[in-house]
Amino acid sequence: MKYLIMLYGSQRDYDAMAGRPGDEPPMTPEQLAAMHAHMEAIHKDLAETGELVDAQGLSAPVHARRVRLRGGAPVVTDGPYAETQEVLAGYTLVECAGFDRATEIAARFVNPDAEGEYVDVRPIVDGVEELQG
């Protein structure tokens, strides 16, 4: 079974990673390197166990576009959105034995020093019949 582990962030988080001051103190180059090394180590472990399918980080919300329909016509809103609005920052797609194992993997992505930080884990469905239930 495949599971999508979704990691979230805000424009404020991206600004801190870029070293820009704001509500959050800017990350030092050492802190940024440590974060990347942590993610790389998890992905390396998952690749070695054969559980890693894909993993990608996404650009900052300032580079996003939101598309809605109004009166049947698309309306496009360019980022940035509210600095505190959480958006999908990246994902890791795993194929593993079950939901418990996917949850165990997901827990490795949550920063124990960041109170309230979370990730979501959702099964990937192969067909409409899996949507029921």
PDB file of all heavy atoms in Angstrom, residues 16-32:
ATOM      1  N   ALA A  16      12.166  32.369   6.894  1.00  0.00           N
ATOM      2  CA  ALA A  16      13.168  32.016   7.908  1.00  0.00           C
ATOM      3  C   ALA A  16      14.253  31.131   7.301  1.00  0.00           C
ATOM      4  O   ALA A  16      15.445  31.313   7.575  1.00  0.00           O
ATOM      5  CB  ALA A  16      12.511  31.319   9.099  1.00  0.00           C
ATOM      6  N   MET A  17      13.842  30.170   6.439  1.00  0.00           N
ATOM      7  CA  MET A  17      14.837  29.299   5.801  1.00  0.00           C
ATOM      8  C   MET A  17      15.743  30.083   4.857  1.00  0.00           C
ATOM      9  O   MET A  17      16.910  29.735   4.668  1.00  0.00           O
ATOM     10  CB  MET A  17      14.152  28.162   5.041  1.00  0.00           C
ATOM     11  CG  MET A  17      13.559  27.110   5.950  1.00  0.00           C
ATOM     12  SD  MET A  17      12.960  25.659   5.065  1.00  0.00           S
ATOM     13  CE  MET A  17      11.497  26.286   4.263  1.00  0.00           C
ATOM     14  N   ALA A  18      15.209  31.156   4.270  1.00  0.00           N
ATOM     15  CA  ALA A  18      15.998  31.983   3.355  1.00  0.00           C
ATOM     16  C   ALA A  18      16.858  32.996   4.113  1.00  0.00           C
ATOM     17  O   ALA A  18      17.597  33.764   3.492  1.00  0.00           O
ATOM     18  CB  ALA A  18      15.070  32.711   2.388  1.00  0.00           C
ATOM     19  N   GLY A  19      16.742  33.001   5.445  1.00  0.00           N
ATOM     20  CA  GLY A  19      17.559  33.909   6.248  1.00  0.00           C
ATOM     21  C   GLY A  19      16.985  35.302   6.379  1.00  0.00           C
ATOM     22  O   GLY A  19      17.667  36.216   6.835  1.00  0.00           O
ATOM     23  N   ARG A  20      15.721  35.475   5.967  1.00  0.00           N
ATOM     24  CA  ARG A  20      15.090  36.791   6.059  1.00  0.00           C
ATOM     25  C   ARG A  20      14.460  36.959   7.442  1.00  0.00           C
ATOM     26  O   ARG A  20      13.748  36.074   7.915  1.00  0.00           O
ATOM     27  CB  ARG A  20      14.036  36.958   4.975  1.00  0.00           C
ATOM     28  CG  ARG A  20      14.627  37.094   3.591  1.00  0.00           C
ATOM     29  CD  ARG A  20      13.575  37.496   2.571  1.00  0.00           C
ATOM     30  NE  ARG A  20      12.670  36.419   2.216  1.00  0.00           N
ATOM     31  CZ  ARG A  20      12.933  35.484   1.286  1.00  0.00           C
ATOM     32  NH1 ARG A  20      14.083  35.489   0.641  1.00  0.00           N
ATOM     33  NH2 ARG A  20      12.058  34.547   1.013  1.00  0.00           N
ATOM     34  N   PRO A  21      14.692  38.101   8.082  1.00  0.00           N
ATOM     35  CA  PRO A  21      14.072  38.325   9.387  1.00  0.00           C
ATOM     36  C   PRO A  21      12.568  38.540   9.245  1.00  0.00           C
ATOM     37  O   PRO A  21      12.081  38.978   8.210  1.00  0.00           O
ATOM     38  CB  PRO A  21      14.758  39.592   9.897  1.00  0.00           C
ATOM     39  CG  PRO A  21      15.283  40.271   8.676  1.00  0.00           C
ATOM     40  CD  PRO A  21      15.524  39.204   7.639  1.00  0.00           C
ATOM     41  N   GLY A  22      11.859  38.197  10.295  1.00  0.00           N
ATOM     42  CA  GLY A  22      10.408  38.364  10.312  1.00  0.00           C
ATOM     43  C   GLY A  22       9.900  37.999  11.681  1.00  0.00           C
ATOM     44  O   GLY A  22      10.599  38.183  12.677  1.00  0.00           O
ATOM     45  N   ASP A  23       8.683  37.458  11.734  1.00  0.00           N
ATOM     46  CA  ASP A  23       8.126  37.024  13.014  1.00  0.00           C
ATOM     47  C   ASP A  23       8.966  35.910  13.625  1.00  0.00           C
ATOM     48  O   ASP A  23       9.079  35.796  14.839  1.00  0.00           O
ATOM     49  CB  ASP A  23       6.694  36.528  12.836  1.00  0.00           C
ATOM     50  CG  ASP A  23       5.736  37.645  12.458  1.00  0.00           C
ATOM     51  OD1 ASP A  23       6.078  38.824  12.696  1.00  0.00           O
ATOM     52  OD2 ASP A  23       4.656  37.340  11.943  1.00  0.00           O
ATOM     53  N   GLU A  24       9.500  35.064  12.769  1.00  0.00           N
ATOM     54  CA  GLU A  24      10.380  33.978  13.207  1.00  0.00           C
ATOM     55  C   GLU A  24      11.823  34.427  12.985  1.00  0.00           C
ATOM     56  O   GLU A  24      12.127  35.081  11.984  1.00  0.00           O
ATOM     57  CB  GLU A  24      10.125  32.713  12.387  1.00  0.00           C
ATOM     58  CG  GLU A  24       8.712  32.191  12.469  1.00  0.00           C
ATOM     59  CD  GLU A  24       8.400  31.594  13.828  1.00  0.00           C
ATOM     60  OE1 GLU A  24       9.295  30.977  14.423  1.00  0.00           O
ATOM     61  OE2 GLU A  24       7.255  31.759  14.281  1.00  0.00           O
ATOM     62  N   PRO A  25      12.729  34.062  13.893  1.00  0.00           N
ATOM     63  CA  PRO A  25      14.130  34.415  13.638  1.00  0.00           C
ATOM     64  C   PRO A  25      14.642  33.661  12.412  1.00  0.00           C
ATOM     65  O   PRO A  25      14.227  32.531  12.158  1.00  0.00           O
ATOM     66  CB  PRO A  25      14.861  33.964  14.910  1.00  0.00           C
ATOM     67  CG  PRO A  25      13.919  33.056  15.615  1.00  0.00           C
ATOM     68  CD  PRO A  25      12.539  33.357  15.138  1.00  0.00           C
ATOM     69  N   PRO A  26      15.504  34.290  11.623  1.00  0.00           N
ATOM     70  CA  PRO A  26      16.029  33.597  10.453  1.00  0.00           C
ATOM     71  C   PRO A  26      16.847  32.375  10.869  1.00  0.00           C
ATOM     72  O   PRO A  26      17.486  32.372  11.921  1.00  0.00           O
ATOM     73  CB  PRO A  26      16.916  34.637   9.762  1.00  0.00           C
ATOM     74  CG  PRO A  26      17.038  35.780  10.697  1.00  0.00           C
ATOM     75  CD  PRO A  26      16.028  35.627  11.775  1.00  0.00           C
ATOM     76  N   MET A  27      16.781  31.347  10.047  1.00  0.00           N
ATOM     77  CA  MET A  27      17.585  30.155  10.316  1.00  0.00           C
ATOM     78  C   MET A  27      19.028  30.452   9.947  1.00  0.00           C
ATOM     79  O   MET A  27      19.297  31.135   8.955  1.00  0.00           O
ATOM     80  CB  MET A  27      17.080  28.966   9.495  1.00  0.00           C
ATOM     81  CG  MET A  27      15.723  28.451   9.918  1.00  0.00           C
ATOM     82  SD  MET A  27      15.141  27.065   8.893  1.00  0.00           S
ATOM     83  CE  MET A  27      16.130  25.726   9.562  1.00  0.00           C
ATOM     84  N   THR A  28      19.932  29.918  10.737  1.00  0.00           N
ATOM     85  CA  THR A  28      21.349  30.053  10.405  1.00  0.00           C
ATOM     86  C   THR A  28      21.681  29.039   9.317  1.00  0.00           C
ATOM     87  O   THR A  28      20.953  28.046   9.133  1.00  0.00           O
ATOM     88  CB  THR A  28      22.227  29.781  11.635  1.00  0.00           C
ATOM     89  OG1 THR A  28      22.071  28.395  12.005  1.00  0.00           O
ATOM     90  CG2 THR A  28      21.862  30.681  12.817  1.00  0.00           C
ATOM     91  N   PRO A  29      22.771  29.248   8.604  1.00  0.00           N
ATOM     92  CA  PRO A  29      23.181  28.248   7.614  1.00  0.00           C
ATOM     93  C   PRO A  29      23.357  26.861   8.233  1.00  0.00           C
ATOM     94  O   PRO A  29      23.036  25.850   7.613  1.00  0.00           O
ATOM     95  CB  PRO A  29      24.502  28.795   7.071  1.00  0.00           C
ATOM     96  CG  PRO A  29      24.406  30.274   7.280  1.00  0.00           C
ATOM     97  CD  PRO A  29      23.620  30.432   8.559  1.00  0.00           C
ATOM     98  N   GLU A  30      23.803  26.815   9.473  1.00  0.00           N
ATOM     99  CA  GLU A  30      23.987  25.542  10.157  1.00  0.00           C
ATOM    100  C   GLU A  30      22.646  24.862  10.439  1.00  0.00           C
ATOM    101  O   GLU A  30      22.510  23.651  10.293  1.00  0.00           O
ATOM    102  CB  GLU A  30      24.773  25.737  11.474  1.00  0.00           C
ATOM    103  CG  GLU A  30      26.198  26.209  11.287  1.00  0.00           C
ATOM    104  CD  GLU A  30      26.332  27.703  10.999  1.00  0.00           C
ATOM    105  OE1 GLU A  30      25.378  28.470  11.265  1.00  0.00           O
ATOM    106  OE2 GLU A  30      27.386  28.105  10.483  1.00  0.00           O
ATOM    107  N   GLN A  31      21.666  25.650  10.859  1.00  0.00           N
ATOM    108  CA  GLN A  31      20.330  25.094  11.117  1.00  0.00           C
ATOM    109  C   GLN A  31      19.696  24.578   9.828  1.00  0.00           C
ATOM    110  O   GLN A  31      19.092  23.502   9.815  1.00  0.00           O
ATOM    111  CB  GLN A  31      19.417  26.152  11.746  1.00  0.00           C
ATOM    112  CG  GLN A  31      19.777  26.513  13.166  1.00  0.00           C
ATOM    113  CD  GLN A  31      18.999  27.729  13.644  1.00  0.00           C
ATOM    114  OE1 GLN A  31      18.830  28.710  12.924  1.00  0.00           O
ATOM    115  NE2 GLN A  31      18.521  27.642  14.893  1.00  0.00           N
ATOM    116  N   LEU A  32      19.847  25.315   8.749  1.00  0.00           N
ATOM    117  CA  LEU A  32      19.299  24.899   7.462  1.00  0.00           C
ATOM    118  C   LEU A  32      19.983  23.621   6.984  1.00  0.00           C
ATOM    119  O   LEU A  32      19.323  22.687   6.528  1.00  0.00           O
ATOM    120  CB  LEU A  32      19.458  26.017   6.433  1.00  0.00           C
ATOM    121  CG  LEU A  32      18.728  25.831   5.123  1.00  0.00           C
ATOM    122  CD1 LEU A  32      17.229  25.689   5.334  1.00  0.00           C
ATOM    123  CD2 LEU A  32      19.030  27.006   4.193  1.00  0.00           C
TER     124      LEU A  32
END
